[in-house]
Amino acid sequence: MRYLVHVFLLLALLSSCRKDEKITTDTSAKLDFSGDTVLFDTVFTTVGSTVSSLIIYNRNDKKVVVSSIKLAGGDNSAFRLNIDGVPGASASNIEISGNDSLFIFVEVTVDPNNALSPFLVNDTIVFETNGNTQDVKLVAYGQNAHYFHPDTYLPGYPAFSVIPAPGNVAHWVNDKPYVIFDYAVVDSGCALIIDPGVKVYFHKGGGLWVFPEGKIKVNGTKDMPVTFQGDRLEPFYKEEPGQWDRIWINENSTDSSEFNFAIIKNAFIGIQAEILQYRTSIPLKLNNTIIRNMSGLGIYTTWYDVDAVNTIVANCGQQLLGFTLGGNYNFTHCTLANYWSAGQRQDPAFVFNNYNTAQAPALNATFTNCILDGTLDEEFAFDLDTTGGKGKYLFNTCMLRTQKNTSNTNHYVSVFVNKDPAFADKSKNDYHLTSASFAIDKGISTTVDKDITEFTRTPPPDLGAYEFH
């Protein structure tokens, strides 16, 4: 692995300061910065090198002394600094006059086509002022990638860019990663096809948005899944929730969006499927897909249709499934388990409703051979208008975590309440069954003859996405 990273840091006062200007040592006198991150990305689609700038502001009336500026990585950092004309990993006692500022110019050079380079090259510049510690991150992408930057700004909507789709089809091949800033949009009438093994990274707050009459087809495989995650790849962020926003899918009246062997992790919402203009009967299809570690919801729908097979939704700060304003849902051999540990969770894992201010749309939800578990005593909340058969739900041969009366056969058939699924290691998102699992051999025959790993199910099948073996 070889790459060259040079950082040139030029510190210059914008105005001279009086020799007798008083220096404040007040701990409230902190620095402000033009940004919390110096980020390089377009460098990798051009010549491999570019310069960016950072401004340090002293918004106090008196002079401050920055007692220390240093690289967190020290001499072992991939970055190099030149501070006030002196190269090195640190500097001390830098003065900034009251209501003045300081420019920092940062240069980075990498070999973006070196496949052995780490995807992210990063460090932090740490500032010490009057006992306060502040930092600005240095982030560069060590490999080339496809980048999407916003160019459209509409009131009430996130900033976005439209994915180029020659012939109305955008085809993402597995040649290099895809990095999305803010939102990337699949336009109406267009399709996004994603090949096996593709990795999609979202910068903070980013997301993927499929407009009405657009569609997305994710064609992962068991050995080459398609991954959607944040762009911070340090070990600390590997399973950290809330790093990006969501995948947002609107209605399509002629064809379905599909996720096959996809991993969607560490966002605010995994998939939001929402009707914006008109009702559609074309379902979103989830096959052998894992959605985990959402700071909000795993799957959030508004009057939508979803078919899910061998799918795992796990560890969300709010709901795993939030079905609102009705819709049609069919889940078979799915593992839905909420063991959220990143904070206190009060919302039940499963919330179904079919109310709005004007009407009560129909809701039809069927779960077959599924595990629906969590850490709360009651993991289900139903807010349904059932008049005229509008609010229907059926758990057929499922494990449930609930205190509700499950004797009504219109809603519960052969259910197992508050049993132990005995997962391999839920703290590590490993939902394979162990030999102690109650789910083994409790299922009924379906057309789903293989599990999420494509291991053949033997009758009677086990509950959930995994067959024990």
Side-chain angles (χ1 to χ4, degrees), residues 185-407:
V185 162
V186 181
D187 208 353
S188 299
C190 296
L192 172 60
I193 311 298
I194 303 182
D195 279 0
V198 166
K199 292 180 172 58
V200 184
Y201 297 106
F202 297 88
H203 195 57
K204 183 178 181 181
L208 182 63
W209 186 1
V210 182
F211 274 3
E213 293 301 337
K215 64 182 178 182
I216 179 173
K217 301 278 188 177
V218 177
N219 296 322
T221 66
K222 178 177 72 72
D223 296 322
M224 298 183 67
V226 174
T227 304
F228 302 85
Q229 66 179 80
D231 65 352
R232 299 299 299 271
L233 301 186
E234 304 95 310
F236 174 81
Y237 293 95
K238 184 177 181 180
E239 300 294 337
E240 184 71 11
Q243 296 179 46
W244 52 288
D245 195 38
R246 72 195 73 190
I247 297 174
W248 186 6
I249 301 174
N250 299 142
E251 65 271 24
N252 189 308
S253 61
T254 60
D255 201 0
S256 62
S257 288
E258 293 184 21
F259 290 77
N260 299 293
F261 287 101
I263 298 173
I264 305 168
K265 67 177 188 174
N266 304 341
F268 169 53
I269 296 175
I271 294 179
Q272 178 172 329
E274 182 177 23
I275 301 296
L276 290 186
Q277 299 174 353
Y278 54 84
R279 183 73 174 99
T280 176
S281 61
I282 306 300
L284 166 67
K285 296 182 179 180
L286 306 175
N287 299 309
N288 305 293
T289 288
I290 298 173
I291 301 172
R292 71 171 186 254
N293 296 345
M294 303 297 146
S295 59
L297 298 92
I299 300 175
Y300 172 61
T301 67
T302 302
W303 205 14
Y304 219 87
D305 297 350
V306 179
D307 289 344
V309 174
N310 284 337
T311 288
I312 297 171
V313 185
N315 286 357
C316 298
Q318 298 176 29
Q319 289 94 47
L320 298 180
L321 306 179
F323 298 157
T324 68
L325 302 187
N328 298 295
Y329 308 96
N330 190 4
F331 282 64
T332 306
H333 275 295
C334 294
T335 296
L336 312 165
N338 202 355
Y339 305 117
W340 176 257
S341 60
Q344 186 175 5
R345 176 174 67 92
Q346 298 179 345
D347 296 322
F350 312 101
V351 174
F352 307 152
N353 81 61
N354 66 338
Y355 281 99
N356 65 13
T357 57
Q359 59 182 330
L363 179 138
N364 292 281
T366 301
F367 296 82
T368 305
N369 287 356
C370 293
I371 299 173
L372 301 96
D373 199 46
T375 54
L376 301 184
D377 291 337
E378 180 55 72
E379 291 288 9
F380 292 87
F382 302 110
D383 183 19
L384 300 174
D385 182 346
T386 59
T387 60
K390 291 179 179 179
K392 297 180 180 179
Y393 60 93
L394 174 64
F395 298 98
N396 183 8
T397 320
C398 295
M399 289 176 59
L400 309 178
R401 183 67 59 182
T402 185
Q403 301 298 313
K404 298 184 182 300
N405 185 337
T406 59
S407 62

Side-chain angles (χ1 to χ4, degrees), residues 415-436:
V415 296
F416 311 100
V417 177
N418 302 330
K419 302 296 184 181
D420 185 5
F423 294 125
D425 193 340
K426 57 190 179 185
S427 68
K428 296 182 179 179
N429 285 301
D430 185 351
Y431 300 102
H432 287 82
L433 304 179
T434 63
S435 59

Side-chain angles (χ1 to χ4, degrees), residues 22-68:
K22 293 183 179 180
I23 297 174
T24 179
T25 58
D26 193 332
T27 57
S28 66
K30 297 183 179 181
L31 303 174
D32 286 340
F33 305 97
S34 56
D36 61 2
T37 303
V38 179
L39 176 67
F40 300 88
D41 61 310
T42 54
V43 55
F44 305 114
T45 60
T46 55
V47 296
S49 181
T50 191
V51 176
S52 188
S53 63
L54 172 73
I55 305 175
I56 307 172
Y57 297 99
N58 173 20
R59 303 199 187 276
N60 304 281
D61 293 332
K62 297 179 181 180
K63 180 191 298 183
V64 298
V65 177
V66 185
S67 56
S68 173

Side-chain angles (χ1 to χ4, degrees), residues 3 5-7 38 40 71 74-81 88-89 106-108 121-125 137-140:
Y3 58 86
V5 181
H6 294 295
V7 178
V38 179
F40 300 88
L71 283 168
D75 293 332
N76 295 323
S77 173
F79 293 86
R80 297 291 178 265
L81 302 182
V106 184
E107 182 181 10
V108 59
V121 178
N122 52 67
D123 202 350
T124 302
I125 304 177
K137 296 177 177 59
L138 303 177
V139 179

